[in-house]
């Protein structure tokens, strides 16, 4: 027995040995020259990974929710209209945060597994008075992928700022932040960025920085205030020391390593690898007679797949798959929680992981008495991978 599990949940994911080795380096002073270089270089690399060459990057100690909170706290002013393009659990959270800061939130929702398209967003924007549109790139509760380019396009035409929660997308699902007109692109370290949990990462467009700079009311969050962090980010980029709150030194070292690995792969190659592995995984799932939660393949994320349990099988499939050495996650969307499970496939994931996961799913389905041709999912995925 190897006693080893493969972590295939939608974050945290498995990290590369090089990233883990960077985490384990002795902790240095946050104003030591080697750390200033590491932080400054990481900020510069973020622009290339986020494809946001003119944006201001921020690296903050905290989880992805801090990134959502910081985005809203800095650019929303009380009374602003906010349209949340809602695809599930995390879109709801963005609406809650906007409400907390005094936004007038309109929730444009869809059935679980679906998301409003750009034309529906355009109609909603015409019907109201909005300053901000929020998009969840990949809703981790359903595996639904948003048409960020289309939605951001109509939002920009309507004069709105676009906040993109790409916690489950960045560096896995294609996002051309600047070309597509995304103003704030936020993410967390523990998913396709490939670093253990604990960092919130944001890029902020010049237009969004202008909105922040011209706001009439103070930013209602002390820790998340860009006014406190901007001089620090500038200092590190100019290779000078700075301090507002102690940075997560070891996590930033790991981020530096991961961003280098991401850029060495190349963004186009990385997006293509995620698409290819996700496609092969879905082929395997469908060959087993199972269905996915997203309403169509176009809406299916490249970073995770939400799979409906077949008749006669329920949530105890997840621990059964776990007994086979593969860790997957149960449902999360409150309306359909008990009817599906989720498999993450992002970051350093490879073809072997996809096949190992399908193998464990097949064995667990067999153990639960589901009738199917054993090996058919594996064969379909393997055919897709050999193409
Ligand atoms: N948004 C999305 C799409 C997420 O998947 C998550 C985490 N699963 C979050 C926001 C919140 O991130 P965190 O748990 O790091 O606060």
């Amino acid at each position: 027995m190897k006693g080893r599990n493969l972590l295939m949940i939608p974050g945290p994911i498995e990290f590369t040995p090089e990233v883990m080795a960077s985490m384990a380096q002795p902790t240095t002073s946050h104003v030591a020259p080697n750390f200033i270089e590491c932080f400054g270089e990481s900020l510069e690399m973020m622009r290339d990974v986020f494809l946001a060459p003119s944006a201001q990057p921020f690296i903050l100690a905290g989880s992805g929710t801090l990134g959502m909170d910081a985005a809203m706290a800095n650019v929303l002013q009380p009374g602003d209209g906010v349209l949340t393009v809602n695809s599930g659990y995390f879109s709801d959270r963005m609406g809650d945060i906007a409400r907390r800061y005094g936004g007038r939130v309109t929730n444009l929702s869809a059935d679980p597994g679906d998301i409003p398209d750009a034309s529906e967003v355009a109609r909603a924007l015409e019907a109201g008075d909005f300053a901000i549109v929020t998009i969840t790139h990949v809703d981790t509760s359903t595996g639904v992928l948003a048409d960020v380019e289309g939605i951001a396009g109509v939002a920009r035409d309507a004069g709105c700022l676009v906040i993109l929660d790409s916690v489950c997308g960045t560096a896995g699902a294609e996002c051309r932040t600047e070309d597509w007109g995304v103003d704030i692109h936020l993410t967390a370290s523990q998913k396709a960025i490939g670093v253990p949990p604990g960092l919130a990462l944001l890029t902020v467009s010049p237009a969004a920085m202008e909105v922040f700079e011209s706001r009439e009311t103070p930013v209602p969050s002390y820790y998340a205030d860009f006014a406190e962090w901007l001089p620090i980010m500038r200092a590190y980029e100019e290779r000078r020391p700075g301090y507002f709150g102690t940075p997560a030194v070891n996590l930033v070292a790991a981020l530096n390593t991961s961003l280098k690995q991401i850029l060495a792969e190349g963004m186009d190659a990385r997006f293509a690898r995620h698409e290819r592995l996700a496609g092969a995984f879905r082929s395997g799932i469908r060959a087993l007679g199972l269905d996915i939660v997203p309403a169509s393949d176009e809406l299916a994320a490249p970073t995770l797949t939400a799979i409906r349990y077949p008749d006669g099988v329920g949530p105890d499939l997840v621990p059964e798959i776990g007994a086979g050495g593969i860790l997957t996650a149960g449902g999360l969307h409150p309306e359909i929680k008990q009817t599906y499970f989720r498999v993450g496939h992002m970051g350093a994931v490879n073809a072997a992981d996809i096949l190992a996961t399908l193998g464990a799913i097949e064995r667990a389905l067999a153990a639960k008495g589901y009738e199917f041709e054993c090996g058919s999912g594996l064969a379909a995925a393997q055919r897709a991978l050999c193409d």
Side-chain angles (χ1 to χ4, degrees):
M1 289 285 280
K2 286 190 171 159
R4 192 180 65 195
N5 287 316
L6 182 64
L7 187 61
M8 294 294 285
I9 65 171
I13 62 162
E14 296 219 337
F15 307 115
T16 66
E18 295 78 14
V19 164
M20 296 316 287
S22 300
M23 279 290 284
Q25 294 303 305
T27 304
T28 178
S29 157
H30 57 288
V31 290
N34 62 338
F35 182 69
I36 292 174
E37 178 60 28
C38 168
F39 202 120
E41 198 181 38
S42 301
L43 289 166
E44 288 161 3
M45 286 190 287
M46 271 178 68
R47 291 199 188 86
D48 296 336
V49 168
F50 286 57
L51 301 171
S54 328
Q56 173 61 51
F58 290 86
I59 300 172
L60 306 177
S63 79
T65 306
L66 172 70
M68 301 165 84
D69 196 73
M72 252 336 148
N74 282 279
V75 297
L76 178 134
Q77 296 214 61
D80 277 353
V82 178
L83 185 73
T84 57
V85 181
N86 198 310
S87 48
Y89 184 90
F90 290 102
S91 312
D92 287 342
R93 179 172 296 187
M94 198 59 115
D96 290 345
I97 295 170
R99 242 175 253 113
R100 183 70 65 91
Y101 290 127
R104 289 180 292 105
V105 176
T106 301
N107 188 26
L108 189 63
S109 52
D111 291 336
D114 212 343
I115 181 170
D117 65 17
S119 60
E120 290 168 78
V121 175
R123 277 198 297 280
L125 288 172
E126 267 168 34
D129 168 24
F130 295 101
I132 296 172
V133 171
T134 74
I135 311 169
T136 310
H137 194 179
V138 172
D139 195 280
T140 319
S141 68
T142 54
V144 165
L145 176 75
D147 167 19
V148 176
E149 185 178 13
I151 297 171
V154 297
R156 191 168 33 176
D157 290 348
C160 294
L161 281 187
V162 176
I163 299 180
L164 178 70
D165 166 358
S166 192
V167 169
C168 201
T170 311
E174 181 180 15
C175 184
R176 308 203 174 264
T177 306
E178 196 154 313
D179 288 351
W180 290 357
V182 171
D183 291 291
I184 302 189
H185 175 162
L186 68 97
T187 195
S189 51
Q190 73 270 21
K191 304 211 190 203
I193 283 278
V195 175
L199 292 179
L201 308 173
L202 305 94
T203 59
V204 183
S205 70
M209 286 310 287
E210 227 175 276
V211 167
F212 155 70
E213 274 152 16
S214 57
R215 58 181 298 130
E216 284 153 16
T217 55
V219 172
S221 160
Y222 185 77
Y223 184 72
D225 191 345
F226 285 169
E228 303 290 358
W229 290 111
L230 189 58
I232 310 306
M233 300 304 136
R234 286 197 174 134
Y236 279 120
E237 253 200 289
E238 290 162 13
R239 307 301 194 264
R240 291 184 284 109
Y243 169 73
F244 173 58
T246 308
V249 172
N250 292 58
L251 284 170
V252 176
L255 176 68
N256 185 284
T257 299
S258 195
L259 292 175
K260 280 183 181 145
Q261 292 185 326
I262 292 168
L263 291 172
E265 180 175 14
M267 298 316 295
D268 288 344
R270 194 168 174 94
F271 297 146
R273 173 170 59 84
H274 281 78
E275 284 288 351
R276 190 173 134 73
L277 294 176
F281 184 68
R282 286 196 303 273
S283 301
I285 288 298
R286 291 230 165 85
L288 294 172
L290 307 189
D291 206 0
I292 60 173
V293 173
S296 68
D297 256 20
E298 290 71 56
L299 290 181
T303 47
L304 89 140
T305 302
I307 306 141
R308 294 189 192 277
Y309 298 121
D311 284 347
V313 175
D316 59 356
L317 185 72
V318 171
E320 190 67 43
I321 300 169
I326 308 285
L327 304 180
T328 61
L332 181 61
H333 193 296
E335 283 172 43
I336 54 169
K337 203 173 159 54
Q338 300 298 319
T339 67
Y340 74 105
F341 68 108
R342 296 171 301 148
V343 173
H345 32 74
M346 61 187 119
V349 66
N350 61 22
D353 298 335
I354 295 295
L355 294 173
T357 304
L358 279 165
I361 291 173
E362 287 199 5
R363 295 193 300 280
L365 286 168
K368 293 292 168 197
Y370 175 67
E371 284 187 21
F372 67 103
E373 193 192 327
C374 190
S376 55
L378 279 163
Q382 182 72 312
R383 271 196 302 275
L385 290 167
C386 286
D387 256 359

